[in-house]
Amino acid sequence: MPNQFFSLPLALSAVLVVFPPPSTAQPPHNPEVEALLHWKQSLGNQTIVSSWIFNQTNGNSSASSPCNWRGISCNTAGNVTGLNLAYTGLQGTLDHLNFSYLPLLLRLDLKDNQLNGTIPANIGLLSNLVYVDLANNSFSGTIPLSIANLTKVVELDFSLNKLTGQLDPRLFPDRGSNEAKTGLLSIQRLLFTHNLLGGPLPSEIGNLADLTLLALDENSFSGPIPESLGNLSKITSLYLQINQLSGQIPKSLGTLTELTDLSLFINNLSGSVPEQIGNLSSLVVLHLNWNNLSGQLPPEVCQGGRLVNFTVGYNNFTGPIPVSLKNCTSLYRVRLEYNQLTGNLDRDFGVYPNLNYIDLSHNNIQGKISPTWAECKNLTFLNFGGNSIGGEIPVEISQLNQLAKLDLSSNKISGKIPAQVVNLTKLLLLNLSDNKIFGQIPLAIGGLSNLEKLDLSMNMLSGPIPYQIGDISRLLFLSLRKNHLNGSIPYQFGNLVTLQTLFDLSYNSLTGQISPKLGKLIRLEALNLSHNSLSGSIPDSFSEMVSLLEIDLSFNQLEGPLPDSRVFNISPPEAFSHNKNLCGYTVQGLTPCKESVSEGGKGKKGNSRLIIIAISTLLASLLLLLCLVGVILFRRKCFWRNQKENVISEEDTSCGRIVYEDIIRATNDFDDAYCIGEGGSAKVYKVNLPSGQRWDLELSGMMLASIG
């Protein structure tokens, strides 16, 4: 492509027209000062550039030199060679900074500020630039093509911005011609991390002969990884993770003998990992997780004995654990989870003094947990869940005093839970569920004061539940379901006020009544006590569990009314089925609670409600009758109007002949349409009786309330 840069000079000359020649308001012999002051003026009153002042009365003094301004550095001749305002909170744009007046600028460092707008095209005029860092701002728009003129730049960092568009191949040198004259010829460190860039990766990137670091991660690049990246013979770090790259990993990457860090995770890569990757003896970090990779892992992936981070989880890998991992004592972090790897836990792994994190979950690993794992003293996370591991939990595991998460769930582990587990004082998660563990839950487990999740479900545990679990004050999740536990639910569990996600004791042999203290679990969202032999009533205090979204009390011996709260009203009938005699008002299938009072004169809540309704109805009817009789026969005077004579005569003797039903009918049950007067707390109603008489009947507010 001999004419690929033909448009660049035109683009740059167009930029020059934007800025006027040096103004007569500033000394014509110092255009650098004018350019910087012109930019300062556009930034407003910011203290960061408050030292940028030019003394016109003494233009040749040192006070007039920009070399004394904050963030400005100069060479021995007094020319500006550096602009460094990184980490200063600078706000504004680069639109008013005329780079053509700073021809000797070598270093431009404006990272970690609040600059916005576009990266101006005239930045390409800084042909002497060696270092450019505009990272962690809010620049938008595309990467200007004029960047290709920065042939001396060694490091270019536009990371953590909002740049869009694609990478133009013309940004990189064309090695097809005899001698490339444009493009990032000298670049060693190129970083466009965390932007909005997309499209394919140009194969011309492989022409960056001096490149040691390429960071294009956290964008939206798509398509295959160019085979030409295998030409980057000096590269040590290649970051392409968190994109949309597809296709296979190029075999050519296996020739990059200087490569120490290869990160390709969270893409759409498929196929197998080239065996040549195992030849990279300098490899320290290999991140391949969250792709669609398959086949076997390179057996010699730790051939150089330097591998520290090895993460290949969430793929479709099959075959054995890489043989080189056993003696790879440099390992710090290992993630092989959610594959189909095979192997033997106590045969294929060794001792790792630096190991901090290991996740082998959801594979096909067999064997048993060797006591030598206790020699990995720095372990904070150990997850062997979802395999076929057998044997017992070695007591030596309790020596891992830095351990925060221990997950051995869904295996074939048997034996008892070591009482020494209490030594794991930093433990946040303990999951031993879905195994064949038997015996009693050790009382010492209550000493794990930092525990947030305890899951011992689906085992063969027996005996009573230790009340000491109620001392684990930070617990968010507790499941002991599907065991052989007996006895009552310790009332001390009411102290677990932080319980939130789940409290599950279902499918055991628990007896006795439910303690009202469990009503204190006001943060709990899911409660399951089903399939036990619990008796008595459901405590009224359960109505105070305002966060409860799910409840299951089925298959017990419970009786009496359901508490009056939302979760009991909306739960399906199955949540309360197969009990002794539960009753309620809103749950379909439950019989309504009878109107009865329990022994000692203490009424049940549901029965009390029926009694109150019945009594209220009866009292209202009696009060209405008494009020009307009192008004008509005793307390009120009855009046009738002789329409012809237009006079009102008192006639007490006729009051007794007024029928209650006639009054109700004449006023349409005291409708406001018949109200002819209101004052204080009483209303006067017009009553036209069938006899032709009209009565003005006054009723107090209390009487009307009782009638209503």
Side-chain angles (χ1 to χ4, degrees):
M1 298 189 300
N3 296 324
Q4 63 176 330
F5 294 103
F6 179 77
S7 61
L8 285 178
L10 294 178
L12 293 177
S13 63
V15 170
L16 292 176
V17 178
V18 174
F19 295 93
S23 169
T24 56
Q26 296 290 344
H29 61 277
N30 201 339
E32 296 174 333
V33 170
E34 180 177 354
L36 293 172
L37 290 179
H38 183 68
W39 184 44
K40 173 191 174 181
Q41 185 178 9
S42 72
L43 298 176
N45 187 20
Q46 298 188 53
T47 57
I48 304 152
V49 290
S50 60
S51 63
W52 293 16
I53 300 174
F54 185 79
N55 188 346
Q56 297 190 50
T57 60
N58 188 12
N60 295 323
S61 69
S62 60
S64 304
S65 172
C67 303
N68 296 318
W69 296 353
R70 178 178 179 179
I72 304 298
S73 55
C74 301
N75 58 18
T76 55
N79 300 116
V80 174
T81 57
L83 175 55
N84 183 359
L85 293 174
Y87 307 106
T88 60
L90 186 66
Q91 301 177 17
T93 71
L94 296 179
D95 295 344
H96 299 278
L97 179 55
N98 190 344
F99 287 117
S100 66
Y101 292 166
L102 302 169
L104 299 180
L105 198 65
L106 302 176
R107 184 181 182 90
L108 176 62
D109 191 351
L110 300 175
K111 64 175 171 286
D112 284 273
N113 282 300
Q114 300 175 41
L115 298 170
N116 54 54
T118 60
I119 299 174
N122 71 324
I123 195 174
L125 297 171
L126 301 174
S127 57
N128 289 303
L129 267 180
V130 174
Y131 179 92
V132 183
D133 195 339
L134 304 180
N136 202 10
N137 281 283
S138 296
F139 289 113
S140 57
T142 59
I143 297 173
L145 184 56
S146 63
I147 291 293
N149 280 355
L150 305 182
T151 56
K152 297 180 181 179
V153 164
V154 173
E155 179 167 340
L156 177 65
D157 192 349
F158 289 169
S159 300
L160 294 160
N161 281 287
K162 301 176 182 178
L163 299 174
T164 56
Q166 300 185 11
L167 293 182
D168 194 308
R170 291 173 291 177
L171 293 173
F172 312 105
D174 179 15
R175 298 297 182 185
S177 59
N178 292 333
E179 179 111 17
K181 296 182 180 180
T182 58
L184 299 171
L185 294 172
S186 304
I187 196 75
Q188 295 178 15
R189 297 169 59 85
L190 180 61
L191 303 97
F192 293 150
T193 296
H194 205 301
N195 277 284
L196 303 172
L197 300 168
L201 297 180
S203 60
E204 287 80 359
I205 295 178
N207 296 333
L208 302 176
D210 295 321
L211 198 64
T212 60
L213 182 150
L214 177 62
L216 304 179
D217 49 301
E218 296 190 62
N219 282 283
S220 296
F221 292 115
S222 57
I225 299 173
E227 190 80 28
S228 62
L229 296 191
N231 298 329
L232 303 175
S233 59
K234 295 182 181 180
I235 196 165
T236 60
S237 301
L238 178 58
Y239 301 110
L240 301 178
Q241 71 268 21
I242 314 180
N243 278 288
Q244 300 171 24
L245 299 171
S246 57
Q248 297 189 347
I249 299 174
K251 293 181 180 180
S252 61
L253 298 187
T255 65
L256 302 176
T257 56
E258 300 295 320
L259 194 62
T260 62
D261 194 333
L262 176 58
S263 294
L264 305 177
F265 63 90
I266 309 183
N267 277 289
N268 298 313
L269 299 171
S270 58
S272 59
V273 178
E275 191 172 342
Q276 291 85 345
I277 297 294
N279 298 329
L280 301 178
S281 58
S282 298
L283 207 57
V284 175
V285 175
L286 178 59
H287 290 315
L288 304 177
N289 42 314
W290 291 98
N291 278 287
N292 297 311
L293 298 167
S294 57
Q296 296 188 13
L297 291 169
E300 300 298 332
V301 69
C302 189
Q303 176 180 262
R306 302 178 58 186
L307 194 62
V308 172
N309 284 355
F310 181 46
T311 64
V312 298
Y314 296 93
N315 281 286
N316 299 303
F317 290 119
T318 57
I321 301 292
V323 64
S324 60
L325 290 187
K326 183 169 185 177
N327 297 317
C328 192
T329 57
S330 57
L331 285 172
Y332 175 83
R333 188 177 183 90
V334 177
R335 296 192 61 175
L336 310 181
E337 74 270 24
Y338 286 94
N339 282 287
Q340 302 170 42
L341 298 170
T342 58
N344 189 291
L345 186 62
D346 51 326
R347 184 188 63 202
D348 296 335
F349 294 89
V351 175
Y352 311 102
N354 302 315
L355 192 63
N356 173 270
Y357 187 112
I358 184 166
D359 192 343
L360 308 179
S361 64
H362 300 281
N363 280 285
N364 297 315
I365 299 173
Q366 300 179 343
K368 61 183 180 179
I369 304 172
S370 170
T372 57
W373 282 100
E375 299 179 38
C376 304
K377 299 293 185 181
N378 292 314
L379 264 178
T380 63
F381 186 104
L382 189 153
N383 189 350
F384 295 160
N387 283 284
S388 298
I389 299 169
E392 299 183 359
I393 302 173
V395 174
E396 289 81 1
I397 286 290
S398 61
Q399 299 174 19
L400 298 174
N401 54 22
Q402 300 300 312
L403 205 58
K405 296 187 178 182
L406 175 61
D407 191 338
L408 306 177
S409 62
S410 300
N411 279 289
K412 299 178 180 179
I413 298 171
S414 58
K416 298 181 179 181
I417 301 174
Q420 293 85 347
V421 71
V422 71
N423 296 330
L424 302 176
T425 56
K426 295 185 179 181
L427 209 58
L428 302 176
L429 178 148
L430 177 59
N431 190 351
L432 306 179
S433 65
D434 193 15
N435 279 288
K436 299 179 179 180
I437 299 171
F438 56 83
Q440 297 190 9
I441 301 174
L443 306 182
I445 206 166
L448 299 175
S449 57
N450 290 308
L451 207 59
E452 296 177 355
K453 179 176 181 178
L454 175 61
D455 194 345
L456 306 179
S457 62
M458 293 184 285
N459 278 289
M460 301 163 61
L461 296 168
S462 58
I465 300 175
Y467 71 84
Q468 289 86 349
I469 293 178
D471 296 331
I472 309 177
S473 59
R474 299 183 180 181
L475 212 54
L476 302 173
F477 178 107
L478 174 60
S479 181
L480 306 177
R481 70 187 297 263
K482 286 197 174 181
N483 279 286
H484 305 308
L485 300 171
N486 55 36
S488 60
I489 301 174
Y491 71 85
Q492 290 88 348
F493 280 14
N495 297 329
L496 301 175
V497 293
T498 57
L499 271 180
Q500 180 177 346
T501 311
L502 178 67
F503 180 23
D504 193 343
L505 304 180
S506 63
Y507 290 91
N508 280 287
S509 300
L510 301 176
T511 57
Q513 297 190 359
I514 302 173
S515 172
K517 292 185 179 295
L518 296 187
K520 295 163 58 179
L521 308 180
I522 59 175
R523 300 181 184 178
L524 188 63
E525 296 175 355
L527 173 65
N528 193 344
L529 304 179
S530 68
H531 293 84
N532 281 287
S533 297
L534 300 172
S535 58
S537 61
I538 303 172
D540 287 344
S541 60
F542 273 32
S543 62
E544 300 172 9
M545 301 170 73
V546 293
S547 299
L548 209 55
L549 301 174
E550 299 177 24
I551 189 168
D552 192 347
L553 302 175
S554 61
F555 291 89
N556 279 289
Q557 299 296 320
L558 298 172
E559 56 186 325
L562 299 183
D564 186 14
S565 69
R566 179 178 178 274
V567 69
F568 287 95
N569 293 333
I570 66 172
S571 295
E574 294 79 15
F576 311 109
S577 65
H578 296 86
N579 272 287
K580 186 176 181 180
N581 190 21
L582 283 177
C583 61
Y585 304 97
T586 59
V587 178
Q588 184 181 2
L590 289 186
T591 57
C593 296
K594 296 180 180 179
E595 300 177 22
S596 62
V597 179
S598 64
E599 283 186 34
K602 184 178 180 181
K604 298 291 183 181
K605 191 168 186 178
N607 294 341
S608 299
R609 182 163 57 179
L610 283 177
I611 293 171
I612 291 171
I613 293 172
I615 291 175
S616 299
T617 304
L618 180 60
L619 288 176
S621 299
L622 290 175
L623 190 55
L624 170 62
L625 183 58
L626 288 174
C627 289
L628 287 173
V629 171
V631 168
I632 297 171
L633 298 179
F634 304 105
R635 299 178 58 195
R636 301 294 180 200
K637 292 182 179 180
C638 302
F639 297 94
W640 63 278
R641 181 182 300 275
N642 187 319
Q643 299 294 340
K644 294 181 180 180
E645 299 176 359
N646 197 27
V647 296
I648 298 175
S649 301
E650 181 175 339
E651 184 173 319
D652 293 329
T653 58
S654 63
C655 293
R657 294 192 297 270
I658 298 175
V659 182
Y660 168 77
E661 288 81 5
D662 292 338
I663 297 174
I664 296 297
R665 191 178 301 110
T667 60
N668 194 18
D669 200 12
F670 295 100
D671 191 278
D672 283 347
Y674 295 88
C675 180
I676 60 174
E678 184 175 359
S681 61
K683 290 185 177 181
V684 179
Y685 288 86
K686 176 179 67 178
V687 182
N688 294 316
L689 298 173
S691 62
Q693 292 180 317
R694 168 180 163 178
W695 298 85
D696 293 340
L697 184 61
E698 180 182 0
L699 295 179
S700 68
M702 182 180 298
M703 297 174 185
L704 289 170
S706 65
I707 294 170

